[in-house]
């Protein structure tokens, strides 16, 4: 896909693309990080805080479009998803949700919180061997987020969290389809380490708000709330008198 194809994508979706800020009245906040980073917990806490302040919020998450959910589930069950097929399925999911779940709320002046965004594809797909330029051009129609939180955690911490929260590591999150290792834990560490490298490489390019995801939950959330108040101050101004950033925070001893 060349420059003309990229421009065609943006025209068809009627978006300015990732290269420049959007002009919708709403705000787009995304959370990113490797599996086990705790980003989903932080996204949910942020959503509750914003709603308590009277902010209209819409929440969307990766790989949730009914358009491809069945195909993705069937492919995973049979372990038949190649890196390119995986990438294309997620791209279809993203395009569908951008059209129907992200842009309309932004046009209506809402805050959209996206649990994973195009940056997940930039990190995971490239770690799986898909050409980085192809992936970026494929997602060139994406709306640039107003804030992109990157919850940075070590692979070892991520693995410990996942193993303590469920029975086993999932096949694809461990990168077992890539034949990195026959040992699930070793494969997980190799694959997620490569994903982590991609996130780190994107951090400055896309102005990620980096959060130390090994800090206590309430400390992270306070950092998130303050970043929101700072980076979208004009939008938040009408809601600033309702609920301060520290409202509803758990004591440190209860938030680990």
């Amino acid at each position: 896909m060349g420059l003309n194809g990229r421009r065609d994508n943006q025209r068809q979706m009627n978006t300015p693309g990732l290269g420049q800020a959007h002009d919708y009245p709403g705000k787009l906040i995304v959370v990113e990080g490797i599996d086990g980073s705790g980003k989903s917990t932080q996204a949910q806490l942020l959503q509750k805080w914003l709603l308590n302040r009277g902010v209209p919020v819409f929440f969307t998450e990766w790989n949730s479009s009914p358009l491809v959910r069945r195909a993705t589930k069937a492919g995973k069950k049979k372990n038949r998803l190649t890196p390119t097929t995986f990438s294309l399925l997620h791209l279809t999911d993203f395009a569908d949700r951008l059209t129907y779940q992200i842009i309309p709320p932004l046009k209506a002046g809402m805050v959209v919180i996206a649990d994973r965004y195009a940056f997940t594809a930039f990190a995971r797909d490239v770690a799986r061997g898909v050409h980085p330029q192809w992936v970026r051009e494929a997602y060139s129609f994406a709306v640039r987020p107003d804030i992109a939180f990157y919850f940075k955690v070590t692979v070892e911490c991520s693995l410990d969290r996942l193993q303590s929260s469920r029975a086993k590591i999932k096949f694809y999150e461990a990168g077992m389809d890539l034949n990195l290792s026959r040992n699930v834990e070793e494969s997980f560490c190799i694959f997620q380490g490569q994903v982590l490298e991609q996130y780190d490489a994107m951090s400055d390019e896309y102005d990620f708000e980096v959060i130390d995801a090994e800090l206590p939950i309430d400390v992270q959330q306070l950092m998130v709330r303050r970043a929101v108040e700072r980076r979208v101050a004009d939008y938040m101004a009408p809601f600033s008198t309702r609920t301060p950033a520290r409202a509803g925070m758990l004591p440190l001893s209860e938030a680990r």
Side-chain angles (χ1 to χ4, degrees), residues 29 46 147 149 224-233 236:
I29 300 174
L46 176 61
I147 312 175
F149 286 104
V224 168
R225 294 178 183 182
R226 285 176 172 169
V228 170
E229 290 179 326
R230 182 182 75 253
R231 295 185 62 162
V232 291
M236 293 298 295

Side-chain angles (χ1 to χ4, degrees), residues 1-44:
M1 184 185 299
L3 179 60
N4 290 336
R6 183 163 65 248
R7 288 174 177 168
D8 287 343
N9 277 351
Q10 291 170 212
R11 282 197 294 267
Q12 289 168 10
M13 295 295 293
N14 196 26
T15 70
L18 281 173
Q20 57 183 304
H22 67 81
D23 58 0
Y24 302 121
K27 298 298 178 182
L28 175 59
I29 300 174
V30 308
V31 296
E32 291 281 1
I34 64 172
D35 294 316
S37 63
K39 60 173 181 52
S40 297
T41 296
Q42 293 299 324
Q44 291 164 9

Side-chain angles (χ1 to χ4, degrees), residues 14 31-32 48 66 84 90 94 97 102 117 121 123 127 142 148 150 160 163 177 185 204 222 231 236 247 252 256:
N14 196 26
V31 296
E32 291 281 1
K48 290 179 181 178
T84 302
H90 285 148
F94 181 83
R97 289 186 302 105
I102 296 177
Y117 199 63
Y150 167 32
D160 286 343
Q163 288 180 322
D177 56 309
E185 292 183 7
D204 290 337
L222 183 58
R231 295 185 62 162
M236 293 298 295
L252 293 180
R256 298 185 185 278

Side-chain angles (χ1 to χ4, degrees), residues 1-246:
M1 184 185 299
L3 179 60
N4 290 336
R6 183 163 65 248
R7 288 174 177 168
D8 287 343
N9 277 351
Q10 291 170 212
R11 282 197 294 267
Q12 289 168 10
M13 295 295 293
N14 196 26
T15 70
L18 281 173
Q20 57 183 304
H22 67 81
D23 58 0
Y24 302 121
K27 298 298 178 182
L28 175 59
I29 300 174
V30 308
V31 296
E32 291 281 1
I34 64 172
D35 294 316
S37 63
K39 60 173 181 52
S40 297
T41 296
Q42 293 299 324
Q44 291 164 9
L45 290 172
L46 176 61
Q47 180 184 23
K48 290 179 181 178
W49 177 67
L50 289 172
L51 288 171
N52 285 338
R53 296 187 71 163
V55 178
V57 180
F58 186 88
F59 184 87
T60 183
E61 59 185 341
W62 190 253
N63 197 32
S64 63
S65 168
L67 191 65
V68 296
R69 187 183 301 158
R70 183 177 298 178
T72 303
K73 185 176 181 179
K76 283 184 174 181
K77 187 174 183 180
K78 297 179 180 179
N79 297 333
R80 296 182 62 181
L81 296 179
T82 67
T84 302
T85 304
F86 220 161
S87 180
L88 289 170
L89 283 171
H90 285 148
L91 177 62
T92 304
D93 165 84
F94 181 83
D96 185 58
R97 289 186 302 105
L98 184 72
T99 302
Y100 297 109
Q101 297 183 16
I102 296 177
I103 291 179
L106 289 177
K107 286 182 175 179
M110 301 178 70
V111 168
V112 176
I113 298 177
D115 188 345
R116 296 199 177 281
Y117 199 63
F119 309 119
T120 289
F122 295 177
R124 286 181 177 174
D125 292 359
V126 173
R128 281 200 155 85
V130 181
H131 197 285
Q133 183 179 355
W134 185 92
V135 178
R136 289 184 180 226
E137 290 185 350
Y139 282 85
S140 62
F141 58 87
V143 173
R144 188 178 183 94
D146 295 280
I147 312 175
F149 286 104
Y150 167 32
F151 293 90
K152 187 171 181 177
V153 66
T154 63
V155 173
E156 292 77 17
C157 179
S158 168
L159 181 61
D160 286 343
R161 288 176 177 177
L162 292 174
Q163 288 180 322
S164 65
S165 64
R166 54 176 133 97
K168 63 180 182 178
I169 302 299
K170 297 177 182 178
F171 183 87
Y172 284 99
E173 74 181 353
M176 293 298 289
D177 56 309
L178 303 176
N179 297 314
L180 300 172
S181 172
R182 292 184 179 180
N183 181 279
V184 175
E185 292 183 7
E186 183 178 4
S187 182
F188 177 91
C189 290
I190 295 172
F191 175 63
Q192 293 294 336
Q194 293 172 348
V195 175
L196 190 63
E197 289 177 0
Q198 295 299 322
Y199 273 124
D200 288 343
M202 285 187 282
S203 185
D204 290 337
E205 179 183 2
Y206 291 105
D207 193 24
F208 286 169
E209 189 77 32
V210 183
I211 304 291
D212 182 349
E214 296 186 39
L215 291 172
I217 294 174
D218 60 332
V219 174
Q220 293 182 56
Q221 181 61 199
L222 183 58
M223 294 170 69
V224 168
R225 294 178 183 182
R226 285 176 172 169
V228 170
E229 290 179 326
R230 182 182 75 253
R231 295 185 62 162
V232 291
D234 291 344
Y235 181 91
M236 293 298 295
F239 310 99
S240 61
T241 60
R242 301 196 181 187
T243 310
R246 285 187 174 275

